[in-house]
Amino acid sequence: MVAKIQVSDLHKSFGQNEILKGLTLDVQEQEVLCLIGPSGSGKSTFLRCLNGLESVTSGTVMVNGQRVGDPHVNLNHIRENIGMVFQHFNLFPHLSVLQNVTLGPVQLNGLSRADADARAKKLLAQVGLADKAAAMPHALSGGQQQRVAIARALAMEPEIMLFDEPTSALDPEMVGDVLAVMQQLAESGMTMVVVTHEMGFAKNVADRVAFMDDGIIQELGTPTAVFEHPQNPRTKVFLNKILNV
C-alpha cells in the first residue's frame, strides 16, 4: 500500500539556519500521527513543507504519489486534498460563520451556493455549531472559532488534515471541545498529522507519535512505546518535564 505522505531526507534552511536536518517519514492512509517536542524543534516548519507553504531545501515530499515542489505538478491540485488548521483561526472577520465555510467550495471548487450551504450546515452540526451559522466570528469564543476553522477545512473534502498546534491559543476550558472534534475526525478514518502539546490527545488518539528535537525525529513509535518506554535520552527529558513523572 502506497503511503499518503512520503518524506525522504527532508532538509529546510532559512539562510544559514538549518531547521530540518534530514527527516524521513511515511504516513499511511487513515493514520493519525502526532508530532511532539519543544518549541523551535521544527515541527511547524515540517508541517508547512507537507503542503508547500514552505519550499524544501533538499529531499522530497510526496503526497498521494505526487512530489510537492515539482514544477511539473500542480501544487494547488495537491493542496485541494490537504486541509490545514492553524494555531490562529484565520477566519474572515467580515463574513458570517456559514460564509466562511462555504467560500472555498464555491470559489475554488465551483460548488453551487445551495450545495455549499448544505455541506457547511452539515459540517457545522458535526463540530457542534449548528446554531452559529449566521453569527460573525467576533461573536464566538476562541474554541468556537477554531471549530469553525476545522469545518472550513473539511468543507473542501480533503483526504489529509494537518493541524498546527490547534489548541495552543485557546483558554484551557475551550481545549476539550476542539480535541473532541479532532478525535471524532480521527475515528472517522481521516488521515491526520497533528503538531500538539496535548499529550493526553497524543496518547489516546494517535497511531504513532514522533518526538522531534533539533530538526530531526529523535524517536518514533506507538503512544505506549514513546510515552511509557522512551528509548532516546532527549525524549525522556522532555516527557519528564511535560508529564512531571
Side-chain angles (χ1 to χ4, degrees), residues 77-98:
H77 179 67
I78 294 177
R79 285 177 174 159
E80 286 175 5
N81 291 312
I82 307 174
M84 187 157 184
V85 178
F86 298 89
Q87 179 177 347
H88 298 286
F89 329 120
N90 299 328
L91 300 180
F92 294 107
H94 62 291
L95 299 180
S96 70
V97 166
L98 187 70

Side-chain angles (χ1 to χ4, degrees), residues 185-200:
L185 198 56
E187 291 170 353
S188 75
M190 177 66 75
T191 305
M192 297 166 58
V193 182
V194 183
V195 173
T196 186
H197 293 296
E198 299 293 338
M199 297 300 139

Side-chain angles (χ1 to χ4, degrees), residues 126-218:
Q126 184 179 326
V127 300
L129 296 172
D131 60 335
K132 300 295 185 181
M136 302 301 287
H138 68 81
L140 304 181
S141 70
Q144 289 171 329
Q145 290 188 58
Q146 191 62 293
R147 284 184 279 155
V148 173
I150 294 173
R152 180 177 60 181
L154 292 175
M156 298 297 289
E157 298 191 323
E159 297 177 15
I160 299 165
M161 285 286 286
L162 309 178
F163 292 88
D164 189 5
E165 299 188 17
T167 61
S168 62
L170 301 179
D171 290 335
E173 67 267 22
M174 299 176 184
V175 169
D177 289 339
V178 174
L179 293 179
V181 169
M182 293 170 62
Q183 182 164 351
Q184 291 170 8
L185 198 56
E187 291 170 353
S188 75
M190 177 66 75
T191 305
M192 297 166 58
V193 182
V194 183
V195 173
T196 186
H197 293 296
E198 299 293 338
M199 297 300 139
F201 177 85
K203 278 184 178 181
N204 296 327
V205 180
D207 295 297
R208 287 189 299 162
V209 174
F211 170 69
M212 281 186 64
D213 190 24
D214 195 30
I216 63 173
I217 294 174
Q218 304 281 352

Side-chain angles (χ1 to χ4, degrees), residues 39-60:
S39 297
S41 58
K43 304 184 301 297
S44 294
T45 299
F46 171 68
L47 212 63
R48 292 169 68 86
C49 287
L50 295 183
N51 66 356
L53 287 175
E54 295 288 356
S55 60
V56 305
T57 301
S58 64
T60 59

